[in-house]
Amino acid sequence: MVDKSNGVADSVMQGALQRFEESEAATAEDRDTYKEDWKFARLAEQWPAAIKKQRVQEARPVLVINKLPSFIRSVVNESRQNRPSIKVSPVDNFTDENSAEVISGLIRSIERGSNARLAYDTAIDQAVTGGFGFFRIVIDYCSIDSFYLEARIERIPFAPQVHWDPSSTAFDSSDWEFAFISSLMTKRQYEEKYPEGTMTPFEGTLSDTAYGVSSYSENIRISEYFLREPNKREIILLGIPNPQTGEMRTEVFREDLLEDMAREFFEAADIDPGRKKDKQIVQAWMEIAGIQEMERREVDYFKIKRRVLNGVEVLEEEDWPGQTIPICPVWGDEVFDELGRRHFRSLIRDAKDPQVMFNFWRSATTELVAMAPKAPWVGPKGFVPDEDRTKWDSANTRSHQYLEYEWSSGQPAPSRNAFAGVPTGALQESLSANDDMKAIMGIYDSSLGARSNETSGKAIMARERQGDVSNYHFISNLARSIASAGRILVEIIPSVYSARGAIRILGEDKKEEVIQLTQEAGGSHQEGMDGAPKLYNLSVGKFDITVDTGPSFTTAREETRETLIEIMRQVPEAAQFLGDVLLDHMDFAGADKVAKRLNQLLPPEIRELENAELSEGNPEAAQLQQQLKAQQQEFAQIKEQVMAEIEKITLERDALKNDRAAQMA
């Protein structure tokens, strides 16, 4: 816990409460409408409280036929099928494609290890339902028995837990100056984790309703507080000579890191720099190594402070290694008002009124049917026989095989009055409300899996695509948020993983690979010597992030498999040429062995062509291919010599047989 004796903690608390009130005042409308939409769509609270109470007291039906979850799932499940994937690309001369692929593989490993899919799904579900959602990035130990740190992507289960910077104009969280994540702990948990902390909850403001006041009776509310503080530092462009060729290359370094680099240089060379001061050590290193200062300038950067607060004090405090607050928002439909304020709308915001009308008209038609009197029997007076009166009295509640009556000449037989039925207008209004919901959200029957007027496959696909396109901005916003998460991970990966000797990455095909790391200078990617593995320096170079929103690798693999099977079904002769490719996309045990054997059955010219294509752009593969061809030619020559010897021996043997046959004759 932070020491409060010097008043620093008090100033931190004062600044935190001011920023919290600022966020609460500016985002109160969005937070209130989020909770209204969430209760309406998820908890089915769709009748006004006063009307519902009155109808219940009058024993009138109060039906809720909630159709909104199916619309929400159609958008959320579309994002699950087309999972955005993070791709890393190099952007300067000190990185290459191999290093970028290592970073991409590490991010995929982080996503799998932290179950990032759950975080993404929760966030977009919140955005579609309420207008905004969030997930976050944390740093923690790999396990309770490890000193290694790792990054994780975690979900935020209830979006109003987050209070963000309302002055932000960027679509992601890259320009947030502060943020809060509130949570509740039981008093027992609080005492175990913060034994010296006071039992004062972080209440924020009276208007803050993220958690009800009643929650404070048994729980303590705490808040994680992220603050982004601007700072300045100098960067230097240094000219570094190549000791072998003498060529000068330029590289940018932070001035505050030069001292550590100089000391590492002297330690590696087993040189004692003596009692030189910091600047003198750097100057001596540059003179010995022949390094020249080319240019320097002052730049702005940011430090992120993470604190955990209760109502009166700071419980935890640490520095975050990146320059961006590690909370990733997934916004819904963004709208600006005339004052320039941002508002976020959910998918179902404008569909609530048609849903209310749908419930009303379905309740009304149900009430008309349920409350309508049973059709009575009409006949001449005294037509019911006394011995059958019990049957006639229960004719409206039971089904009898027959009913008898007292017949009189010239009088008609008894008959029922026909039921008038439900008014056509009531049924039409309920259908109109149902159609209004579909039109407002742009999701029609075909997108929900129901049969519609379309009969051809092309027409059905066109209607489904119309539903996907009308709500694609939700999926696009999730992709932007995942790209923001990728940039945050690229910022913190050097600080979190560089201390390790090796890391485990994940390829696009979900295959694992162990990568060796180094902290020595020489670029982000260094070739191993004498068969040693390649070395990667994660702290060198700059990378850019892009996001693919197409089908996942597994989905693309399944589509390829189905396409190949269909081709082989239509053209059976293609099986001998496509069999090995199909087996490469199969997942049963031993599929790779079967694929290799089928590959050996291909015509030689096809195999040679594929080997030539594989060796293009890969010098090592090309060299091996040339060696293989040379060996094949050598074997062919040896084979010719052996065949010639065999033929010579065969001729000599035949001549010897002929001589013996002549002698015997």
Side-chain angles (χ1 to χ4, degrees), residues 6 27 59 120 134 151 190 316 348 350 402 421 442 475 526:
N6 57 4
T27 63
Y120 301 156
F134 304 93
Y190 182 84
E316 296 181 30
I348 57 101
D350 295 327
Y402 60 89
I475 300 175
Q526 303 174 27

Side-chain angles (χ1 to χ4, degrees), residues 292-305:
Q292 300 178 9
E293 179 179 330
M294 312 294 290
E295 189 178 355
R296 68 167 57 208
R297 70 184 182 92
E298 191 177 61
V299 296
D300 296 324
Y301 76 102
F302 298 93
K303 285 185 177 180
I304 305 295
K305 282 285 188 180

Side-chain angles (χ1 to χ4, degrees), residues 479-605:
R480 292 190 180 102
S481 183
I482 293 177
S484 175
R487 284 187 285 272
I488 294 174
L489 288 172
V490 168
E491 285 181 357
I492 68 174
I493 278 175
S495 301
V496 177
Y497 292 92
S498 291
R500 301 190 185 186
I503 56 173
R504 189 179 299 273
I505 68 172
L506 202 65
E508 290 188 7
D509 56 356
K510 307 305 178 185
K511 291 184 179 179
E512 295 183 350
E513 183 181 357
V514 176
I515 298 298
Q516 303 296 324
L517 301 182
T518 182
Q519 298 185 39
E520 297 181 359
S524 62
H525 174 211
Q526 303 174 27
E527 294 290 340
M529 301 298 294
D530 298 330
K534 298 177 181 179
L535 301 178
Y536 294 88
N537 191 337
L538 300 181
S539 61
V540 175
K542 295 182 180 180
F543 301 91
D544 193 13
I545 298 296
T546 56
V547 173
D548 261 347
T549 56
S552 64
F553 180 84
T554 303
T555 303
R557 182 182 175 91
E558 293 175 356
E559 292 178 354
T560 302
R561 184 166 59 237
E562 296 298 327
T563 302
L564 290 173
I565 292 175
E566 185 63 26
I567 292 174
M568 295 166 66
R569 183 181 293 115
Q570 299 295 330
V571 186
E573 297 80 5
Q576 60 178 327
F577 303 102
L578 302 178
D580 60 327
V581 181
L582 175 62
L583 267 295
D584 283 336
H585 291 79
M586 294 289 188
D587 298 321
F588 63 86
D592 53 342
K593 293 183 179 179
V594 179
K596 290 180 181 178
R597 295 187 180 184
L598 289 176
N599 182 266
Q600 296 300 318
L601 299 178
L602 290 173
E605 57 272 14

Side-chain angles (χ1 to χ4, degrees), residues 640-650:
E640 290 179 359
Q641 295 175 1
V642 171
M643 293 301 297
E645 289 294 331
I646 292 175
E647 185 177 1
K648 180 180 179 181
I649 293 173
T650 302

